Amino acid sequence: MKTKPIAIGVVFFATLAAAASAQEGATTGMIGGAATGAIVGGPVGAGVGAVVGAVAGGALERPPEKVITYVQQQPVQQSVVVQQPIVVGKPLPRDVVLMPVAEDPRYSYAIVNDQRVIVDPMTYTVVQVIQ
């Protein structure tokens, strides 16, 4: 019966430690996933949430500078207008046409709402918005 309060306490302190060290990517995703999983599913949920969060967090790491430079140097194309806000971590609509990044096939880009957007082509998830 006392495992749930202990698990929540462990997740709480782990979250504080992660925030204090200001880590990003997979570690932050893992901690956030564990916290959410613990609240929803207890200790087992914390384990599952940590794994899912680590995968999601790792996928959203900042692209390499060569990818950012490549996207910035491409000629301006006509911007696609979408009604939703463009947010890192959220997918674009599937009807947005993505252009491949020749420097790194793990990334694509598009110009959406007059912003250059670097995207994971497998999931259409926004990885970075270039101002």
Side-chain angles (χ1 to χ4, degrees):
M1 292 294 167
K2 294 184 181 185
T3 57
K4 189 168 185 176
I6 292 170
I8 291 173
V10 168
V11 170
F12 174 74
F13 287 113
T15 302
L16 288 178
S21 64
Q23 293 180 354
E24 295 181 18
T27 302
T28 303
M30 181 177 70
I31 299 297
T36 303
I39 292 168
V40 175
V44 173
V48 173
V51 171
V52 172
V55 171
L60 294 179
E61 290 181 10
R62 180 181 168 99
E65 281 300 317
K66 68 179 184 176
V67 171
I68 296 168
T69 302
Y70 177 86
V71 172
Q72 289 172 328
Q73 292 176 346
Q74 296 309 300
V76 176
Q77 305 164 358
Q78 184 155 344
S79 179
V80 176
V81 177
V82 298
Q83 299 304 314
Q84 68 189 43
I86 306 305
V87 179
V88 172
K90 301 291 182 188
L92 293 176
R94 289 289 177 156
D95 59 344
V96 173
V97 176
L98 301 179
M99 303 299 296
V101 173
E103 301 290 320
D104 193 331
R106 297 177 297 167
Y107 301 98
S108 291
Y109 74 96
I111 300 178
V112 182
N113 295 348
D114 294 320
Q115 298 176 314
R116 291 175 190 254
V117 181
I118 299 175
V119 180
D120 176 342
M122 301 298 288
T123 63
Y124 273 60
T125 301
V126 175
V127 177
Q128 183 166 352
V129 178
I130 301 174
Q131 301 298 334

